[in-house]
Structures are given as C-alpha cells and as structure tokens.
Amino acid sequence: MRPDNQSGVSHFLLRGLPIGPEQQGAFFALFLAMYLTTVLGNLLLILLIRLDARLHTPMYFFLSHLAFSDVSISSVTVPKMLMDMQTQDHAIPYAGCIFQLYFFIDFGCADNLLLAVMAYDRYVAVCHPLHYPTIMKEELCVLLVAASWVVSFFHALLHTLLLVRLSFCTDSTINHFFCDLTVLLKLSCSNISLNELVILTEGGIIMTLPLACILGSYICIGTVILRVPTTKGLLKAFSTCGSHLFVVSLYYGTLASVYFFSSSWDSKDIIASVMYTVVTPMLNPFIYSLRNRDIKQALEMLVNRAYFLK
C-alpha cells in the first residue's frame, strides 16, 4: 500500500503530550521505562509460552498472540513520542503518519478480537470442561487466531484507504501524540461523510461483536457459577477468568473514555490514550502472571536453566 497525498501536505506536526518543557526529562524517563517494561515483559511471556511444554494450551496460545499485539501497538506510538520529547522535533512525514495510523488500527483491532477469542476459550473451560479438549482443538485455535489477524488487516486497510483519498487543510497540527483516525479526519478539508459512515457501521460491528461475545461468555460463566455457589467454585472461576476479565475491563474502559465519552480532544482524552497505548500493554504480562502458578513455574525453570548454563 502506497499512501498517495491528495492535498500536497508533506508532513504533520504532532502536538504531543500536554506537559511543560521543564517536565520533559522526567516524563521521557518515565515513558522510556514503561516502554522497555512493556517490550521485555511481553516478549518474556511469549518466550515462556514457547519454551515450556506445560503452557502449550489454547489459553496460552491466545495469550502469546495478545502479548505480541500489545508489544506492537506500543511500538507503533511510543518510540515516536519519546523521540519527539527528546529532540523537540514534532514533525512526522505524511507517509509515516499514514503507516502509523494503519498499524495502530491493525493491532488495536487484533487486541479487541483476541480478547473475544480468549473469552470464548474461558467459556468453554468453565461451562463445558469435559468437552474442552475436543472443542478447543489445535485446528480451531489456529483458525480463530488467523481470522483475528486477517479481519484486523482488512479493517485497518479499509479505513486507511478511505483516509488517503482526502485532502488536508493548511493547518496540519495534530492535537495528539500519534496519528489517530478521528483527529486526522478533523483536519481534512474534504467531505468525510463516507469515512464517518464506515466508522459507524463497519467499525461499530468490529467493536460491538467481540464485546457481545465477551459479555455473552461471562454471562454464561456467571450462570454456571451461581448454580453451585460454593467457595471452591468461586475461587476456581476467579483463577480461571479473573485475569482476563480485569484486562477486558481495562481495555474497554480506556477505549470508551477515548472514543465514546469525549466531545473534543483535550488533555483528558490524551491521558486516556496513554492508558490505552502505554499502560495497558505494560500491565498485561503482570496481570496474567502474578496469580498464575504455571507462568511462575515456567519462569523459575527458565531462570534455573540460565543459571545452570553459566
């Protein structure tokens, strides 16, 4: 895909985070540490899942793809933000902005779909435990993950192609720290009714169907748990679904605050975007690992193996 510029705009200016010059150094160090934690934490999680045979299960297979998506969505936005904070050069080429937009939509959509796939996996594990091995076969797991990535690819491609046909005004300042679709549409001098229609219809379907799958899965899980409301059953359900449910709440909470509960892009929206693109991907490895005995044992084995090789 080669982005064709219809308006002659050679670059955009990213306004960045709403922080003063005297705070740039502290925030640069903070976000650099958070980004490195995100990359190392998620890559370590992927490595553990690949190396430990006990983690070769559907749940961890889906989790490894979610971790890859989290690393990717942070890598699309955070390095440019850090470079802008360090150099004070907030310009981004037109083509660079388009590609950043494409990959941000791609990995964001993948996150959304993978969370729905993981919710279905938890539903089968809790509601049909005896049939879990026969339902969640390797072929189905691969198909679900492949479908998530393919749908994300075409979803991002559709919105990117609809954007590059537009012309942009002389004011090319983006009131954000990355190239977000809704902000770019506000800068356009062209008719954006088709873009808005596609966002409302196709984008709405992409957002609501996975959310409906997640809600439906947890309603069924809750119904099964309430039939036999024992302490042991509640603890088992929490250990099975608690981490995923917390990540879903964090993901959709920040997403809703950015795209649904705001009338204009201001500091609060940018802070919510930081939560969505920086904080959530950083927290996911810790959320899935802190109360997970399998992950802890795999990490101990990896550390022991490295110590033995010394």
Side-chain angles (χ1 to χ4, degrees), residues 3-6 9-12 92-98 164 166 168:
D4 294 322
N5 187 355
Q6 301 294 333
V9 173
S10 61
H11 66 276
F12 294 97
I92 181 171
Y94 175 88
C97 187
I98 296 302
V164 297
L166 303 177
F168 291 92

Side-chain angles (χ1 to χ4, degrees), residues 195-206:
N195 300 73
E196 293 176 333
L197 178 63
V198 173
I199 290 173
L200 185 63
T201 54
E202 186 270 349
I205 292 172
I206 290 293

Side-chain angles (χ1 to χ4, degrees), residues 215-286:
L215 292 176
S217 298
Y218 277 105
I219 288 173
C220 293
I221 290 172
T223 303
V224 169
I225 294 172
L226 291 176
R227 287 176 186 170
V228 189
T230 62
T231 303
K232 184 179 180 181
L234 291 173
L235 290 175
K236 183 177 181 180
F238 179 77
S239 65
T240 304
C241 307
S243 298
H244 178 260
L245 190 58
F246 185 79
V247 169
V248 166
S249 302
L250 197 62
Y251 175 86
Y252 281 101
T254 55
L255 201 64
S257 65
V258 173
Y259 294 106
F260 297 106
F261 299 146
S262 60
S263 57
S264 63
W265 285 88
D266 54 21
S267 298
K268 291 183 295 183
D269 304 308
I270 293 177
I271 292 171
S273 297
V274 169
M275 288 288 297
Y276 171 60
T277 59
V278 183
V279 179
T280 302
M282 180 190 69
L283 291 179
N284 282 355
F286 297 100

Side-chain angles (χ1 to χ4, degrees), residues 98-176:
I98 296 302
F99 280 111
Q100 186 186 57
L101 169 71
Y102 169 80
F103 285 110
F104 177 77
I105 297 175
D106 185 16
F107 293 121
C109 180
D111 257 15
N112 187 31
L113 295 173
L114 288 170
L115 286 173
V117 169
M118 294 173 73
Y120 174 72
D121 174 69
R122 294 300 83 202
Y123 157 75
V124 177
V126 174
C127 299
H128 305 283
L130 298 179
H131 300 286
Y132 182 81
T134 57
I135 295 176
M136 300 303 297
K137 293 182 178 180
E138 182 179 356
E139 294 81 3
L140 177 60
C141 296
V142 172
L143 180 63
L144 290 172
V145 168
S148 298
W149 286 111
V150 170
V151 170
S152 299
F153 169 81
F154 284 107
H155 171 68
L157 185 63
L158 172 63
H159 289 281
T160 304
L161 291 177
L162 287 175
L163 180 75
V164 297
R165 70 184 181 85
L166 303 177
S167 298
F168 291 92
C169 304
T170 53
D171 182 12
S172 58
T173 302
I174 298 175
N175 187 26
H176 214 312

